[in-house]
Amino acid sequence: MVNRRHIRVKVMQSIYAMHQSGSDNMEKEEKFLFYSIDNIQDLYLIMLSSLIEICKKESVFLHLSSKKHLATAAERNPNEKFIKNKIFQLLAESNSLSIALENRKINNWSLNDDYIILLLNDIKASDLYKKYMSNTVNTFEEDRQFIIDLFENVIVPNEKLYEYLEDDKLTWVDDIPVVNTHIIKQLKAIKTEDPDAFRVPKLYKDVEDKDFAKDLFRRTVLNEAVLAKEYDDKTPNWDSERIAEIDTIILKMAICEFLKFPSIPVKVTLNEYLEIAKEYSTPKSSIFINGILDNLVKELTANKKMVKVGRGLM
């Protein structure tokens, strides 16, 4: 679920937090780094389980409405297409998802069901819902596309839900797009009604990615002074105090990858950190960083200080 760019972002944020707090306790900060990455799994489960809880809440509402003393004909015989949506059922019956929710002790919606009610009201007020409910033809493909559209266009943009998640864990702010994109990708990939076909993904693609997070954090923090010397003379028109702190961290991390990660291609490092700079630093940062790193790559290559192992790594 967590790709290497997001790992780089998490490491960058951890180093920035160390600078801001003046902390030199690397062990403590590393634990927080992995805590923040680990919590991405909880965010994923919370967002996915919102679909299950929305269906449950509507089921209860329809049942109670049908039992009212003066229930209308529509209330006594409600349109159950929504609650019988095959994707809702698949998620509710998925062993993989149920086990993950239990293991991670995810019970957010039982404690905060007002957000589920809020989401359900928004759903039922949407044209998407009205169109779906008016169609009498039921297909698996229609059910799947409806849930995808529902998640993408009603649930994800909900400002109250976003505020709730932000208040719960501030570290989730940058994780929300990553998690939601992954969920939408998973929903689109569902091809069968078999609940066992849906699997909760591993947090890291493999053990190498987790090691990458640890190594990038440690090697950058332990070598900050040395890494800074590599670009100091490349910024003659810039007072070091005028360079945005995020930019200096990005530069150090990129240089760290050049020098201490022989299996990572230079182009990958350049592209990744330029994209991170565009998103997290000043408008001109990517141009500034690109100029420094481009010159540095030429110098490191000429001086044979940068050794890359494998084909096409330069």
Side-chain angles (χ1 to χ4, degrees), residues 148-160:
I148 292 168
D149 293 339
L150 194 70
F151 188 80
E152 193 168 9
N153 299 308
V154 181
I155 296 175
V156 168
N158 189 281
E159 291 184 6
K160 293 294 184 182

Side-chain angles (χ1 to χ4, degrees), residues 95-272:
N95 286 329
S96 176
L97 183 53
S98 296
I99 291 169
L101 290 169
E102 184 175 347
N103 288 344
R104 301 290 297 186
K105 295 180 173 57
I106 302 299
N107 60 354
N108 295 60
W109 303 131
S110 63
L111 301 174
N112 300 280
D113 70 334
D114 49 323
Y115 288 96
I116 296 300
I117 295 170
L118 183 151
L119 289 171
L120 182 56
N121 289 339
D122 282 358
I123 289 167
K124 293 168 77 170
S126 70
D127 291 336
L128 185 66
Y129 174 84
K130 293 169 186 174
K131 181 180 178 181
Y132 175 75
M133 296 298 283
S134 66
N135 184 6
T136 57
V137 178
N138 295 315
T139 67
F140 178 78
E141 289 71 22
E142 183 203 25
D143 281 359
R144 180 183 60 207
Q145 190 58 51
F146 171 69
I147 297 300
I148 292 168
D149 293 339
L150 194 70
F151 188 80
E152 193 168 9
N153 299 308
V154 181
I155 296 175
V156 168
N158 189 281
E159 291 184 6
K160 293 294 184 182
L161 176 62
Y162 182 88
E163 290 171 4
Y164 164 71
L165 295 171
E166 184 180 19
D167 288 343
D168 194 339
K169 285 187 176 64
L170 188 58
T171 59
W172 279 346
V173 171
D174 293 301
D175 303 331
I176 292 171
V178 173
V179 165
N180 289 338
T181 298
H182 189 86
I183 289 175
I184 291 169
K185 182 179 178 181
Q186 272 196 294
L187 292 173
K188 288 180 177 179
I190 296 174
K191 303 298 182 186
T192 172
E193 296 180 39
D194 180 5
D196 289 334
F198 184 87
R199 308 290 299 176
V200 172
K202 295 185 295 183
L203 181 58
Y204 297 95
K205 183 181 72 174
D206 48 41
V207 68
E208 285 80 9
D209 276 5
K210 186 171 184 178
D211 288 342
F212 172 69
K214 176 186 67 178
D215 293 341
L216 182 60
F217 177 76
R218 290 183 180 182
R219 292 172 186 176
T220 302
V221 171
L222 291 173
N223 295 281
E224 282 201 76
V226 175
L227 295 170
K229 289 180 181 179
E230 294 289 348
Y231 66 79
D232 276 345
D233 62 347
K234 305 292 185 301
T235 57
N237 298 322
W238 290 81
D239 186 312
S240 60
E241 293 183 359
R242 290 177 56 205
I243 303 174
E245 187 165 8
I246 286 290
D247 290 357
T248 66
I249 294 171
I250 289 173
L251 284 169
K252 290 170 188 173
M253 289 174 64
I255 296 167
C256 182
E257 284 192 28
F258 288 157
L259 299 176
K260 300 182 183 297
F261 290 81
S263 66
I264 299 178
V266 171
K267 287 183 180 179
V268 169
T269 296
L270 285 171
N271 290 338
E272 290 288 88

Side-chain angles (χ1 to χ4, degrees), residues 273-298:
Y273 287 107
L274 290 180
E275 290 302 315
I276 291 171
K278 288 177 186 177
E279 187 170 354
Y280 290 94
S281 197
T282 65
K284 294 183 179 179
S285 288
S286 61
I287 299 172
F288 168 70
I289 289 171
N290 184 52
I292 293 175
L293 293 181
D294 189 52
N295 288 331
L296 187 58
V297 166
K298 294 174 183 175

Side-chain angles (χ1 to χ4, degrees), residues 29-64:
E29 301 301 333
E30 184 179 297
K31 283 182 179 178
F32 183 78
L33 165 64
F34 283 105
Y35 170 79
S36 68
I37 295 176
D38 190 52
N39 276 323
I40 296 173
Q41 188 85 338
D42 289 352
L43 176 61
Y44 165 84
L45 293 170
I46 288 169
M47 291 301 296
L48 201 55
S49 64
S50 70
L51 292 170
I52 299 172
E53 295 303 320
I54 285 168
C55 182
K56 285 182 181 178
K57 186 66 69 176
E58 179 64 359
S59 296
V60 170
F61 172 76
L62 293 180
H63 175 72
L64 293 176

